[in-house]
Amino acid sequence: MRARDRRIVQAIALITVLPALLVLHWVDDVHNVRKNLEPPVKAATVARGASGTLGGAEWRLQQRQAAPGPGPDTASLRLVLAVRPLDAAGVKLLGSYGLTYRLRDGDGHEWSAAGLALGTPRVGAWARVTVSASVPRSKTGSVALEVRPPAYRRTKGALPSLRFAP
């Protein structure tokens, strides 16, 4: 093989191998982030009308309302939760930064939601938390609400959470 042909073959090999190496490096980084930074979640499913305990508080889904959303195929979903702190840790959890609300469907799609606690939480007294999100109109009746405590409070093992059945 002539020197010029050999250089062309080497350049083509470099052009094809370099992106493959970058993709492998990226996949490895994604795996490390999921393994080390995203905590595993252990969700306790709460049936309709029932209540569940999370972080020193009793949680119950009271109301679920869907309204037309900003787009033609979207809906604004509003869920009202009743929360009763059972101890000081429950009061601290309810007023803490990092408490997350997510909506999930059966296909694995996930939407983030915003929660707003009304009033000052007290031990033994019920408080209201309104959670709102925009979801596809076809999913309003089939999404489950998931409540997760802040990830920085977790100990070893999976992060506990509550999942309210649709």
Coordinates of all heavy atoms in Angstrom, one line a residue, residues 123-159:
V123 N -47.9 20.0 64.8 CA -48.0 18.6 65.1 C -49.4 18.3 65.4 O -50.1 18.9 66.2 CB -47.1 18.2 66.3 CG1 -47.3 16.8 66.8 CG2 -45.6 18.5 66.0
G124 N -50.0 17.2 64.8 CA -51.3 16.8 65.0 C -52.4 17.5 64.3 O -53.6 17.1 64.3
A125 N -52.1 18.6 63.6 CA -53.1 19.4 62.9 C -53.0 19.1 61.4 O -51.9 19.0 60.9 CB -52.9 20.9 63.2
W126 N -54.1 19.0 60.7 CA -54.1 18.8 59.3 C -53.7 20.0 58.5 O -54.2 21.1 58.9 CB -55.5 18.3 58.8 CG -55.7 16.9 59.3 CD1 -56.4 16.5 60.3 CD2 -55.3 15.7 58.6 NE1 -56.5 15.1 60.4 CE2 -55.8 14.6 59.4 CE3 -54.5 15.4 57.5 CZ2 -55.5 13.3 59.1 CZ3 -54.3 14.1 57.2 CH2 -54.8 13.0 57.9
A127 N -52.9 19.9 57.6 CA -52.6 21.0 56.7 C -52.9 20.6 55.3 O -53.0 19.4 54.9 CB -51.1 21.4 56.8
R128 N -53.1 21.6 54.4 CA -53.3 21.3 53.0 C -52.1 21.6 52.1 O -51.5 22.7 52.3 CB -54.5 22.2 52.5 CG -55.8 21.8 53.1 CD -56.9 22.6 52.6 NE -57.2 22.1 51.2 CZ -58.2 22.6 50.5 NH1 -58.9 23.6 50.9 NH2 -58.3 22.2 49.3
V129 N -51.9 20.8 51.2 CA -50.8 21.0 50.2 C -51.5 20.9 48.8 O -52.1 19.8 48.5 CB -49.7 20.0 50.3 CG1 -48.7 20.1 49.2 CG2 -49.0 20.1 51.7
T130 N -51.4 21.9 48.0 CA -51.9 21.8 46.6 C -50.8 21.6 45.7 O -49.8 22.3 45.6 CB -52.6 23.2 46.3 OG1 -53.6 23.4 47.3 CG2 -53.3 23.1 44.9
V131 N -50.9 20.5 44.9 CA -49.9 20.1 43.9 C -50.5 20.4 42.5 O -51.7 19.9 42.3 CB -49.5 18.6 44.1 CG1 -48.5 18.2 43.0 CG2 -49.0 18.4 45.5
S132 N -49.8 21.0 41.7 CA -50.3 21.3 40.3 C -49.3 21.0 39.3 O -48.1 21.2 39.5 CB -50.8 22.8 40.2 OG -49.7 23.6 40.5
A133 N -49.7 20.5 38.1 CA -48.9 20.2 37.0 C -49.6 20.2 35.7 O -50.9 20.1 35.7 CB -48.3 18.8 37.2
S134 N -48.9 20.3 34.6 CA -49.5 20.2 33.3 C -49.1 18.9 32.7 O -47.9 18.5 32.7 CB -49.0 21.3 32.4 OG -49.5 22.5 32.8
V135 N -50.1 18.1 32.3 CA -49.9 16.8 31.7 C -50.7 16.7 30.4 O -51.6 17.5 30.2 CB -50.3 15.7 32.7 CG1 -49.5 15.7 34.0 CG2 -51.8 15.8 33.1
P136 N -50.4 15.7 29.6 CA -51.3 15.4 28.4 C -52.7 15.1 28.8 O -52.9 14.5 29.8 CB -50.6 14.2 27.7 CG -49.2 14.2 28.2 CD -49.3 14.8 29.6
R137 N -53.6 15.7 28.1 CA -55.1 15.5 28.4 C -55.5 14.1 28.5 O -56.3 13.7 29.4 CB -55.9 16.2 27.4 CG -57.4 16.2 27.7 CD -58.1 17.1 26.8 NE -57.7 18.5 27.2 CZ -58.0 19.6 26.5 NH1 -58.7 19.5 25.4 NH2 -57.6 20.7 26.9
S138 N -54.9 13.2 27.7 CA -55.3 11.8 27.8 C -54.8 11.1 29.0 O -55.2 10.0 29.3 CB -54.7 11.0 26.5 OG -53.3 11.1 26.5
K139 N -53.8 11.7 29.8 CA -53.2 11.0 30.9 C -53.8 11.5 32.3 O -53.4 11.0 33.3 CB -51.7 11.3 31.0 CG -51.0 10.8 29.8 CD -50.8 9.3 29.8 CE -50.0 8.9 28.6 NZ -49.7 7.5 28.6
T140 N -54.8 12.5 32.3 CA -55.2 13.0 33.5 C -55.8 12.0 34.5 O -55.7 12.2 35.7 CB -56.3 14.2 33.3 OG1 -57.3 13.6 32.5 CG2 -55.6 15.3 32.6
G141 N -56.4 11.0 34.0 CA -57.0 10.0 34.9 C -56.1 8.9 35.2 O -56.5 8.0 36.1
S142 N -55.0 8.8 34.6 CA -54.1 7.6 34.8 C -52.8 7.9 35.4 O -52.0 7.0 35.5 CB -53.9 6.9 33.4 OG -53.2 7.7 32.6
V143 N -52.5 9.1 35.8 CA -51.2 9.4 36.4 C -51.3 9.3 37.9 O -52.4 9.6 38.5 CB -50.7 10.9 36.1 CG1 -50.4 11.0 34.6 CG2 -51.7 11.9 36.5
A144 N -50.2 8.8 38.5 CA -50.1 8.6 39.9 C -49.2 9.7 40.5 O -48.2 10.0 39.9 CB -49.6 7.3 40.3
L145 N -49.6 10.3 41.6 CA -48.8 11.3 42.3 C -47.8 10.6 43.2 O -48.1 9.7 43.9 CB -49.7 12.2 43.1 CG -48.9 13.2 44.0 CD1 -48.2 14.2 43.2 CD2 -49.9 13.9 45.0
E146 N -46.5 11.0 43.1 CA -45.4 10.5 43.9 C -44.8 11.6 44.7 O -44.5 12.7 44.1 CB -44.4 9.9 43.0 CG -43.3 9.1 43.8 CD -42.4 8.3 42.9 OE1 -42.9 7.4 42.3 OE2 -41.2 8.6 42.9
V147 N -44.7 11.4 46.0 CA -44.2 12.4 46.9 C -42.8 11.9 47.4 O -42.8 10.8 48.0 CB -45.1 12.7 48.1 CG1 -44.5 13.8 49.0 CG2 -46.5 13.2 47.6
R148 N -41.8 12.7 47.3 CA -40.4 12.2 47.7 C -39.9 13.3 48.7 O -39.9 14.5 48.5 CB -39.5 12.1 46.6 CG -39.8 11.1 45.6 CD -38.7 11.0 44.5 NE -39.1 10.1 43.5 CZ -38.4 10.0 42.3 NH1 -37.3 10.8 42.1 NH2 -38.8 9.2 41.4
P149 N -39.3 12.8 49.8 CA -38.6 13.7 50.7 C -37.3 14.2 50.1 O -36.8 13.7 49.1 CB -38.4 12.9 52.0 CG -38.3 11.5 51.5 CD -39.2 11.4 50.3
P150 N -36.7 15.2 50.7 CA -35.4 15.7 50.1 C -34.4 14.6 50.1 O -34.3 13.8 51.1 CB -35.0 16.8 51.1 CG -36.3 17.2 51.8 CD -37.2 16.0 51.8
A151 N -33.6 14.5 49.1 CA -32.6 13.5 49.0 C -31.5 13.6 49.9 O -30.8 12.7 50.3 CB -32.0 13.4 47.5
Y152 N -31.2 14.9 50.4 CA -30.1 15.1 51.3 C -30.4 14.5 52.7 O -29.5 14.4 53.5 CB -29.7 16.5 51.4 CG -30.8 17.5 51.9 CD1 -31.1 17.6 53.2 CD2 -31.5 18.2 51.0 CE1 -32.1 18.5 53.7 CE2 -32.5 19.0 51.4 CZ -32.8 19.2 52.7 OH -33.8 20.0 53.1
R153 N -31.6 14.2 53.0 CA -31.9 13.6 54.3 C -31.9 12.1 54.4 O -32.1 11.5 55.5 CB -33.4 14.0 54.7 CG -33.5 15.5 55.0 CD -34.9 15.7 55.4 NE -35.0 17.2 55.7 CZ -35.9 17.7 56.5 NH1 -36.6 16.9 57.2 NH2 -35.9 18.9 56.7
R154 N -31.6 11.5 53.3 CA -31.6 10.0 53.3 C -30.5 9.4 54.0 O -29.4 10.0 54.1 CB -31.7 9.5 51.9 CG -30.5 9.5 51.1 CD -30.7 9.0 49.7 NE -29.5 9.0 49.0 CZ -28.8 8.0 48.5 NH1 -29.3 6.8 48.8 NH2 -27.7 8.1 47.9
T155 N -30.7 8.2 54.5 CA -29.7 7.5 55.1 C -29.3 6.4 54.1 O -29.6 6.5 53.0 CB -30.2 6.8 56.4 OG1 -31.3 6.0 56.1 CG2 -30.5 7.9 57.5
K156 N -28.5 5.4 54.5 CA -28.2 4.3 53.6 C -29.4 3.6 53.1 O -30.4 3.5 53.8 CB -27.3 3.3 54.3 CG -26.0 3.8 54.8 CD -25.0 3.7 53.8 CE -23.6 4.2 54.4 NZ -22.6 4.4 53.4
G157 N -29.4 3.2 51.8 CA -30.5 2.5 51.2 C -31.3 3.4 50.4 O -31.0 4.5 50.0
A158 N -32.5 2.9 50.1 CA -33.4 3.5 49.1 C -34.1 4.7 49.8 O -34.4 4.7 51.0 CB -34.4 2.5 48.6
L159 N -34.4 5.7 49.0 CA -35.2 6.9 49.4 C -36.6 6.5 49.5 O -37.2 6.1 48.5 CB -34.9 8.0 48.4 CG -35.5 9.4 48.7 CD1 -34.9 10.0 49.9 CD2 -35.4 10.3 47.5

